[in-house]
């Protein structure tokens, strides 16, 4: 990702990192706001009060568990087909955005010592058949900045769409 300073000079490495961290912070803020709307889907689908749904939501410690619960509730035979399909579409969209968010939340950042290029170092173990790999590095490019910005935009729209469903079906808000 190239950040340009005054007079079209390349930005200092710290400025590039600041730009990335600002985007990742915005991504996390948008993600958290949108994920929290699963509370309303839990409340409506399980037919419980919102405070009960909050306890359920907070008891499940991962996004995957929360999404699984909402999807399973939506698939129950008491849920109308159109509502089920709408909920499954919304949760699929949330899950799709998780990959990029997880990438930037489970990495550390470093600068390539030779080129000064900002890169991510994944903090995950990749299990292979006969070995493991750790520390996969990827450069942070202008394209990645755009990917983060587009993910934020999609999450904002998803947030609006979830609220629309919650209000349309009169789920606890």
């Amino acid at each position: 990702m190239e950040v340009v300073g005054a007079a079209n000079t390349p930005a200092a490495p710290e400025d590039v990192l600041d730009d990335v961290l600002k985007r990742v912070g915005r991504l996390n803020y948008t993600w958290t706001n949108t994920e929290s709307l699963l509370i309303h889907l839990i409340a409506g689908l399980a037919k419980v009060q919102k405070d009960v749904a909050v306890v359920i939501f907070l008891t499940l410690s991962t996004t995957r568990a929360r999404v699984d619960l909402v999807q399973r509730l939506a698939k129950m035979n008491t849920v109308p087909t159109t509502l089920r399909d709408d909920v499954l579409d919304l949760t699929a969209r949330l899950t799709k955005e998780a990959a990029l968010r997880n990438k930037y939340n489970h990495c550390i950042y470093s600068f390539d010592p030779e080129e000064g290029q900002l890169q991510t170092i994944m903090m995950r173990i990749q299990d292979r058949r006969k070995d493991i790999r750790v520390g996969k590095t990827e450069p942070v490019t202008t394209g990645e900045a755009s990917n983060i910005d587009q993910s934020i935009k999609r999450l904002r729209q998803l947030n609006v769409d979830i609220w629309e469903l919650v209000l349309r079906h009169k789920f606890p808000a």
Side-chain angles (χ1 to χ4, degrees):
M1 171 182 317
E2 184 173 344
V3 177
V4 178
N8 283 341
T9 58
E14 313 78 58
D15 294 334
V16 174
L17 180 60
D18 286 346
D19 185 57
V20 170
L21 293 178
K22 182 175 133 183
R23 280 184 162 92
V24 171
R26 178 68 60 187
L27 177 63
N28 282 323
Y29 169 79
T30 307
W31 172 272
T32 302
N33 268 352
T34 303
E35 182 184 5
S36 72
L37 297 182
L38 294 176
I39 292 167
H40 305 290
L41 298 180
I42 293 166
L45 293 167
K47 297 180 181 13
V48 298
Q49 294 176 355
K50 187 176 113 181
D51 59 342
V52 173
V54 168
V55 170
I56 294 167
F57 178 89
L58 295 174
T59 300
L60 300 170
S61 60
T62 66
T63 299
R64 182 75 254 161
R66 294 166 178 156
V67 168
D68 284 348
L69 174 63
V70 169
Q71 290 174 334
R72 289 171 181 163
L73 291 170
K75 292 175 185 178
M76 295 187 68
N77 61 8
T78 57
V79 175
T81 304
T82 56
L83 175 56
R84 178 201 65 215
D85 293 346
D86 289 347
V87 169
L88 294 177
D89 174 65
L90 294 170
T91 56
R93 288 168 54 195
L94 183 63
T95 300
K96 186 175 180 182
E97 297 305 325
L100 186 69
R101 177 196 169 264
N102 289 341
K103 173 182 176 178
Y104 285 101
N105 278 293
H106 301 291
C107 74
I108 57 174
Y109 300 91
S110 72
F111 290 94
D112 179 320
E114 294 176 17
E115 296 178 23
Q117 169 78 40
L118 179 63
Q119 59 189 8
T120 59
I121 303 172
M122 300 312 296
M123 299 307 293
R124 275 197 191 135
I125 295 175
Q126 298 174 327
D127 280 308
R128 304 290 185 202
R129 281 186 75 146
K130 296 188 179 202
D131 65 348
I132 61 171
R133 293 184 187 165
V134 294
K136 176 182 174 187
T137 62
E138 291 183 2
V140 178
T141 65
T142 303
E144 276 300 291
S146 176
N147 288 342
I148 295 170
D149 293 341
Q150 290 304 309
S151 182
I152 292 167
K153 183 178 177 181
R154 288 187 301 269
L155 284 166
R156 285 180 177 156
Q157 184 59 53
L158 178 59
N159 189 299
V160 168
D161 295 345
I162 293 172
W163 269 119
E164 191 277 328
L165 182 137
V166 165
L167 296 174
R168 182 170 21 117
H169 291 280
K170 298 179 175 51
F171 286 177

